[in-house]
Amino acid sequence: MSDTMQQLQETVSYIRGLVSGEAATGIILGSGLGNLSNVIVTEKEISYNDIPHFPVSTVEGHKGRLIFGELGGKKVWVMAGRFHFYEGYTAQQVAFPVRVMRLLGVQTLLLSNAAGGVNPAFGIGDLMIINDHISLFTVNPLLGKNEDKLGTRFPDMSEPYSKELIKLAREIAVKHNISLQQGVYTGVTGPTFETRAEYKLIHILGGDAVGMSTVQETIAAVHCGMRVFAISVITDLGIREEENTITHEEVLQAAKEAEPKLTLLFTELVKSL
Ligand code: HPA
């Protein structure tokens, strides 16, 4: 068995020793978006520090807990806090918890993130359904020997984000009067925010938003056969004005303000699965 499979099995059996319940849905919460965990009826909460082979999340705004509980009447696994490439983890480490969720039985993965908007139609606080991504500026988590037990060597990426889940989310949004943007998320490594020239380039290349997470998790999830739904909270607008700057605090604040809409959308989405 490969080292990765060995580690995955050790992690899964540790978690299985604490939680025997099953959940078909997994959720990973982004920067400043951890509050969804407060509406979950928690059955078990495990600190990342205690989980074998789990990296420890270092970024502010991430609580670093794996939660098993109920949301919208359904059992869910929730990662409150994710691992980012910019923290110094490898792309494989970033993807590790996604694979753990798969081996725990998760089939559908919901992801949220804070992102910079580069589509001029976007405003701060908008929610953007990710309908595709550009992952050429980050490191692919599937580099290296393929884990054949998880998925194929050359995974198809023609529909990384499930059209069916996007349709469901749009219906829910209409029903609850939540306005939604839709677009292409461009993954970058960070930790620097983009320069003016980079935001412009990303827009020219076809990106609508840019962020430092999600694409590696999505690739790993698609590789092992999961359905993915992902949404960005637009927390800044890619330096449009001369004097404009971007800080992590502003990103967290904007995420916090948009969070109730996201919590409602995720709750209803899970309910309808
Ligand atoms: N760029 C990259 N990552 C981000 C941004 C951004 O503007 N906003 C929030 N995360």
Side-chain angles (χ1 to χ4, degrees):
M1 200 191 306
S2 71
D3 289 352
T4 305
M5 286 312 294
Q6 175 85 35
Q7 288 187 351
L8 282 167
Q9 290 196 354
E10 284 167 14
T11 305
V12 168
S13 47
Y14 172 82
I15 296 169
R16 276 280 164 245
L18 299 172
V19 178
S20 57
E22 292 285 334
T25 306
I27 302 176
I28 301 181
L29 301 171
S31 297
L33 300 168
N35 263 344
L36 181 86
S37 52
N38 297 334
V39 301
I40 287 163
V41 184
T42 302
E43 284 182 29
K44 185 74 192 177
E45 199 174 287
I46 314 168
S47 165
Y48 291 167
N49 298 322
D50 298 332
I51 303 177
H53 311 301
F54 249 50
V56 178
S57 184
T58 61
V59 73
E60 201 187 320
H62 294 272
K63 291 178 188 167
R65 292 163 302 140
L66 179 68
I67 299 164
F68 182 77
E70 208 173 284
L71 180 71
K74 300 272 171 69
K75 299 285 189 220
V76 286
W77 284 106
V78 178
M79 281 182 66
R82 58 151 56 93
F83 305 108
H84 300 86
F85 191 71
Y86 64 74
E87 292 175 87
Y89 306 119
T90 63
Q92 287 82 358
Q93 282 178 303
V94 170
F96 187 82
V98 171
R99 294 171 152 182
V100 169
M101 284 210 213
R102 183 72 190 105
L103 296 178
L104 286 169
V106 170
Q107 287 152 15
T108 301
L109 185 65
L110 312 184
L111 305 167
S112 68
N113 61 56
V118 295
N119 181 325
F122 290 0
I124 289 179
D126 281 359
L127 296 185
M128 183 195 87
I129 290 183
I130 301 178
N131 57 20
D132 206 346
H133 74 221
I134 295 171
S135 177
L136 304 173
F137 304 129
T138 55
V139 176
N140 196 301
L142 306 182
L143 285 175
K145 190 180 168 299
N146 186 52
E147 297 299 341
D148 295 329
K149 288 206 172 69
L150 296 175
T152 178
R153 169 77 288 189
F154 300 108
D156 176 76
M157 281 290 149
S158 59
E159 192 192 322
Y161 304 93
S162 156
K163 283 193 180 124
E164 194 189 335
L165 294 177
I166 292 174
K167 185 166 171 271
L168 257 177
R170 296 191 75 84
E171 287 164 5
I172 290 163
V174 168
K175 198 164 143 203
H176 293 272
N177 225 349
I178 301 169
S179 64
L180 287 179
Q181 306 280 10
Q182 195 162 318
V184 174
Y185 177 93
T186 309
V188 291
T189 67
T192 45
F193 289 113
E194 289 62 44
T195 63
R196 281 169 214 281
E198 286 163 348
Y199 281 119
K200 200 167 152 193
L201 174 80
I202 286 164
H203 185 47
I204 290 168
L205 289 179
D208 295 291
V210 51
M212 307 174 195
S213 66
T214 303
V215 292
Q216 290 160 328
E217 293 153 351
T218 297
I219 289 170
V222 171
H223 176 244
C224 62
M226 288 161 122
R227 279 199 307 180
V228 179
F229 175 81
I231 195 155
S232 292
V233 176
I234 303 300
T235 55
D236 52 271
L237 297 175
I239 316 182
R240 301 257 167 93
E241 292 142 29
E242 273 316 304
E243 300 302 323
N244 184 218
T245 59
I246 297 169
T247 67
H248 184 54
E249 289 64 38
E250 284 163 359
V251 166
L252 292 181
Q253 184 58 32
K256 201 170 148 198
E257 283 167 26
E259 192 169 34
K261 291 190 284 187
L262 189 65
T263 299
L264 177 62
L265 189 67
F266 269 17
T267 307
E268 292 299 314
L269 195 54
V270 170
K271 207 186 272 179
S272 69
L273 290 176

